[in-house]
Amino acid sequence: MRLGLSLGYQTAWSTPADHLAMAQEADRLGYAVVWAAEAYGSDAVSMLAWMAGQTQRIDLGAAVMQIPARTPAMTAMTAATLDTLSGGRFRLGLGVSGPQVSEGWHGVRFAKPLARTREYVDIVRMALARERVTYDGEHYRLPLPDGAGKAIKLGFHPHRSDIPLYLAAVGPKNLKLAGEIADGWLAIFFAPDMAGEYVAQIGPKPGFDIAPTVPVVVGDDLAACADVIRWYAALYIGGMGSREQNFYNQLAVRMGYEKEAKLVQDLYLSKQVAEAAAAVPQEFIERTSLIGTKERIRDRIREYAAAGVGTLSVSPYVGDLEGGIATLRTVAEAFEESGV
């Protein structure tokens, strides 16, 4: 198992300079990969390109590039360019986002996300292999029929034609798809004690990289550490999507928190955000996060390794750059002491 750093995207309380400093520190400490995200603000590609020229060894991962935001050919072009710029350090993470962002921001229908993902990945891989792209699918047809288009192949030789491809998956069907067509899984709210269920859904696939993003807060008071993460958990369980279609709420239900998930959602959608955060079970946070002392984090790292995690990507929940750097160092020390 290797360590990763998940930076997320730019927010009101973060800066590009801080994210770069975190990536450079992770590079120095021997972390395997730094991931950048996108939703409907800062994009992943610009951040990763900027960091590529100012880091040395660390891989640069998109977690994720949104499928509705780009054509598959554009994603292949971007992946090939980033991988070449970085000397073969790029990891391509893809995800369909959710209906609110896909339809409200990108103007792309969310229907049949699994079928669209399968076709999208087919075309991306075809383009990266420098094959002439021809595709006759339900969602993508290349070239367009009865038009002036022709089958084209990627116009330069990329550093690699087999760039590692990850899928962000939450539901069982999407996780099964990741096992079929991807090289790894970008997981959220990953509980090591449920690893057997996850692996069964993925199916047997040698070398498949389970890569969860895990919030981390270092401190002596476990409850106080959990309180820092509650707002993030409440946002996803309660407010990420509609009442009828919230994949993270459904995940919490599958994890055994049906009543609690409903309460968090009811409160959040009623704009009682503080109450929703307080309603997130302590046990849920402890199962899906790294919180507490360095020694507790060390023991939890061993649990993630035993669960089959290949890349443990930590997301420091801190108030400033100094705290973020300190957290990265503590996790690196705990990882070293764990012996995994």
Side-chain angles (χ1 to χ4, degrees):
M1 188 175 78
R2 299 288 303 279
L3 288 177
L5 166 62
S6 181
L7 291 173
Y9 36 77
Q10 291 300 302
T11 66
W13 54 87
S14 66
T15 69
D18 285 353
H19 276 186
L20 176 61
M22 292 280 284
Q24 290 172 330
E25 180 66 11
D27 193 14
R28 189 188 70 79
L29 290 169
Y31 281 62
V33 60
V34 55
W35 304 93
E38 62 185 22
Y40 43 90
S42 60
D43 74 286
V45 173
S46 300
M47 291 299 300
L48 292 173
W50 189 55
M51 289 187 285
Q54 301 180 83
T55 53
Q56 301 298 318
R57 296 168 299 277
I58 196 166
D59 279 4
L60 304 140
V64 294
M65 288 168 63
Q66 296 174 93
I67 285 175
R70 302 171 183 87
T71 67
M74 186 69 243
T75 289
M77 291 165 58
T78 303
T81 304
L82 280 171
D83 198 54
T84 300
L85 285 173
S86 64
R89 292 188 285 140
F90 182 60
R91 303 188 193 186
L92 173 58
L94 296 173
V96 291
S97 189
Q100 291 181 325
V101 172
S102 183
E103 298 188 5
W105 185 247
H106 297 300
V108 175
R109 294 294 182 192
F110 189 74
K112 299 184 178 179
L114 297 181
R116 285 190 295 113
T117 299
R118 185 184 294 276
E119 292 187 11
Y120 196 97
V121 169
D122 282 346
I123 298 169
V124 168
R125 290 198 185 278
M126 188 183 304
L128 288 173
R130 297 197 77 238
E131 300 174 15
R132 292 198 180 276
V133 176
T134 61
Y135 203 84
D136 187 16
E138 178 185 358
H139 303 278
Y140 298 97
R141 299 186 72 183
L142 296 168
L144 287 175
D146 305 320
K150 65 177 183 179
I152 300 173
K153 67 179 179 181
L154 187 66
F156 79 108
H157 290 271
H159 187 86
R160 293 180 296 174
S161 61
D162 58 346
I163 295 170
L165 191 150
Y166 292 70
L167 285 187
V170 179
K173 292 181 179 179
N174 207 2
L175 188 50
K176 182 176 183 293
L177 180 67
E180 292 179 16
I181 68 173
D183 303 304
W185 168 37
L186 296 171
I188 186 172
F189 297 131
F190 180 95
D193 57 273
M194 291 187 64
E197 180 179 331
Y198 300 144
V199 171
Q201 292 165 357
I202 294 168
K205 188 167 186 178
F208 188 85
D209 186 18
I210 297 175
T213 292
V214 182
V216 55
V217 180
V218 181
D220 295 328
D221 186 332
L222 207 60
C225 291
D227 285 344
V228 178
I229 299 171
R230 288 183 185 281
W231 300 85
Y232 149 80
L235 167 63
Y236 276 78
I237 297 171
M240 197 66 75
S242 65
R243 186 180 298 277
E244 295 75 24
Q245 199 167 28
N246 180 325
F247 306 121
Y248 309 100
N249 188 279
Q250 294 163 12
L251 173 61
V253 171
R254 290 194 298 273
M255 292 176 64
Y257 302 102
E258 182 175 1
K259 292 181 180 179
E260 296 89 341
K262 183 180 185 305
L263 176 59
V264 171
Q265 187 178 64
D266 287 344
L267 290 168
Y268 202 98
L269 295 181
S270 299
K271 303 188 183 305
Q272 300 178 72
V273 178
E275 291 82 356
V280 176
Q282 174 79 16
E283 182 188 70
F284 177 87
I285 296 173
E286 291 186 20
R287 289 175 68 192
T288 59
S289 308
L290 291 171
I291 59 174
T293 64
K294 183 177 74 171
E295 292 71 27
R296 188 179 189 279
I297 291 172
R298 175 199 63 203
D299 294 342
R300 287 281 289 157
I301 287 173
R302 290 172 179 155
E303 292 178 19
Y304 279 93
V309 170
T311 304
L312 180 64
S313 297
V314 298
S315 180
Y317 276 65
V318 294
D320 53 31
L321 175 60
E322 182 180 355
I325 296 293
T327 298
L328 286 180
R329 292 173 179 171
T330 298
V331 171
E333 291 171 3
F335 180 80
E336 182 69 22
E337 292 175 11
S338 73
V340 301

